[in-house]
Amino acid sequence: MKTIDLRSDTVTQPTHRMREAMREAELGDDVFAEDPTINRLEAIAADMLGTEAALFAASGTQSNLLAMLSHCQRGDEYIVGQLAHTYKYEAGGAAVLGSIQPQPLDFEDDGTLDLGKVRAFIKEDDFHFARTRLLCLENTQSGKVLPLSYLEKARELCNEKNLNLHLDGARVFNAAIFLQVPVKEIAQHFDSISFCLSKGLGAPVGSVLCGPREFVDTARRWRKMVGGGMRQAGMLAAAGIYALENHIERLSEDHELADKLANGLKGIDDIDVLFGGAKTNMVFIRLAPEKVENLTAYLLEQNIVVTPGDVMRLVIHLDIDDGDIERFLSVLVAFFASDNSQDASSVTQYAATPY
Ligand SMILES: *Cc1c(COP(=O)(O)O)cnc(C)c1O
């Protein structure tokens, strides 16, 4: 039976054609800037995002780290969401490796940071304070798409206050597809953008950091320093190019399937669908905490994998189709009908992935 893995869009396997592209990639030593496939990926990414340059990175965590190290000096500060990936899920890299102080603020319900609060937390030029240098936004944020009008206002604030503006755009293509705009229209407001090839786009590895030439040169030095200078990595870049050329438009199918999932879940009494339904490729549900363990075990017996929690994030991706959603919904209905919540069996073979 096929495994239905709803934990994250990172779990996708490269398709047959993507593997072909990887196998046939022309390769060279990328530390010498001689890998033609990496060079091509970086050129394509810069062109799509409308930036001067781009840099291939091993992961989104690395790409965000390089951005923060490039924007900020020791003793500088960045303003960031309390639940932002860069703050919460990247092992404190900016603080550990860059001596960059975070100023976390709560996200609003729509995934934005309130610009009035951001303004209030920008520190005056006073030697008592860290120097506020950077505002970091996330788009999508838990699947939510930041409005373009909001990005414009964030840009204005950063201009006024002399801050750089970085986008953790791990899923920025989901946002662009949702808004039906070229990704450039989102990217234009930022000084730098990091996006993931290895999420909804379906590549096995990699992220790209986009920005002005000088910034990318600085980031390239940091990448070398943190051990991210890879050699014949064009095999990975080939998967990334394939993803950019073939897997962007289809993200709308993920969004439609997430909608279908959300609507199906709304018909199950024991489940609360949060945020009113699907947000791009994600659905968040709440269920009674005492049912979580049994449900997770029950699902696993049917080869369905979720991240346990009384708030559960369900993520649609390349390897999930219509039939999978139907199977998932009918297994849920069966679970709640039979009340399997009596005897718990322990199930933690699968790691919980927050992102
Ligand atoms: C996945 C993700 C990243 C990067 O994660 P890696 O696993 O390091 O590639 C960054 N930001 C957000 C919002 C993410 O979801």
Side-chain angles (χ1 to χ4, degrees):
M1 205 195 310
K2 177 185 170 184
T3 296
I4 301 174
D5 194 335
L6 297 167
R7 288 173 300 166
S8 178
D9 44 10
T10 56
V11 301
T12 55
Q13 297 280 328
T15 62
H16 178 72
R17 299 180 90 184
M18 183 179 275
R19 287 171 199 246
E20 292 278 286
M22 294 172 77
R23 193 163 59 78
E24 281 158 25
E26 244 190 288
L27 305 175
D29 189 326
D30 182 50
V31 175
F32 299 155
E34 286 173 7
D35 188 297
T37 310
I38 296 260
N39 293 342
R40 209 167 118 237
L41 171 65
E42 292 178 348
I44 292 170
D47 185 55
M48 289 181 92
L49 279 281
T51 60
E52 278 175 9
L55 181 69
F56 182 65
S59 66
T61 299
Q62 184 177 76
S63 176
N64 282 325
L65 175 66
L66 303 179
M68 290 189 282
L69 292 171
S70 302
H71 284 302
C72 299
Q73 304 291 318
R74 181 170 181 233
D76 287 351
E77 174 184 82
Y78 74 112
I79 297 179
V80 63
Q82 194 71 254
L83 295 177
H85 202 278
T86 43
Y87 175 61
K88 190 169 177 191
Y89 296 102
E90 296 182 3
V96 175
L97 299 170
S99 300
I100 303 161
Q101 162 171 289
Q103 170 61 70
L105 300 178
D106 287 337
F107 279 123
E108 300 301 305
D109 288 343
D110 63 358
T112 62
L113 291 174
D114 181 300
L115 294 177
K117 286 185 199 153
V118 171
R119 179 185 286 278
F121 276 89
I122 297 171
K123 287 156 189 65
E124 295 300 319
D125 182 6
D126 176 322
F127 65 72
H128 293 86
F129 303 143
R131 293 168 301 239
T132 311
R133 200 62 95 197
L134 179 69
L135 172 61
C136 184
L137 298 176
E138 193 171 296
N139 196 13
T140 61
Q141 200 287 311
S142 291
K144 297 165 193 162
V145 177
L146 308 190
L148 291 172
S149 57
Y150 170 80
L151 301 184
E152 219 169 284
K153 290 192 190 107
R155 177 74 265 169
E156 281 167 19
L157 176 63
C158 288
N159 287 349
E160 181 195 326
K161 293 295 191 177
N162 215 4
L163 303 189
N164 286 324
L165 183 56
H166 173 69
L167 180 64
D168 176 359
R171 299 185 178 87
V172 70
F173 285 99
N174 292 84
I177 287 295
F178 178 87
L179 294 171
Q180 299 185 295
V181 298
V183 71
K184 260 182 205 178
E185 288 209 26
I186 296 172
Q188 63 173 335
H189 300 291
F190 293 88
D191 296 292
S192 57
I193 309 100
S194 166
F195 72 85
C196 289
L197 296 163
S198 57
K199 299 260 164 97
L201 297 182
V205 174
S207 282
V208 183
L209 179 60
C210 301
R213 167 78 49 199
E214 212 178 310
F215 167 85
V216 169
D217 288 345
T218 304
R220 195 177 293 276
R221 177 181 292 267
W222 282 118
R223 188 185 70 172
K224 184 70 187 136
M225 204 185 296
V226 299
M230 296 183 282
R231 302 295 176 170
Q232 286 72 30
M235 293 192 85
L236 303 175
I241 293 170
Y242 185 88
L244 291 176
E245 288 176 349
N246 297 283
H247 289 170
I248 294 177
E249 291 304 320
R250 65 152 305 286
L251 290 172
S252 62
E253 297 169 27
D254 293 348
H255 300 173
E256 280 162 29
L257 219 48
D259 250 337
K260 176 179 169 143
L261 172 61
N263 288 331
L265 290 166
K266 283 177 190 165
I268 302 175
D269 288 342
D270 299 85
I271 290 177
D272 251 350
V273 178
L274 305 182
F275 310 128
K279 298 290 169 219
T280 56
N281 65 332
M282 298 184 187
V283 181
F284 288 81
I285 58 172
R286 191 196 308 279
L287 52 148
E290 67 274 13
K291 303 237 173 179
V292 171
E293 196 180 337
N294 288 329
L295 174 62
T296 308
Y298 187 84
L299 291 172
L300 205 50
E301 278 166 20
Q302 316 283 326
N303 281 348
I304 299 172
V305 192
V306 296
T307 307
D310 42 332
V311 172
M312 231 179 238
R313 187 188 72 161
L314 305 167
V315 187
I316 305 296
H317 52 75
L318 199 55
D319 294 349
I320 300 291
D321 63 24
D322 212 59
D324 298 333
I325 294 307
E326 274 161 28
R327 180 151 77 87
F328 177 55
L329 287 169
S330 64
V331 169
L332 285 176
V333 168
F335 172 81
F336 288 111
S338 70
D339 209 320
N340 273 275
S341 36
Q342 302 312 323
D343 45 286
S345 52
S346 60
V347 265
T348 30
Q349 292 121 287
Y350 284 91
T353 42
Y355 270 89

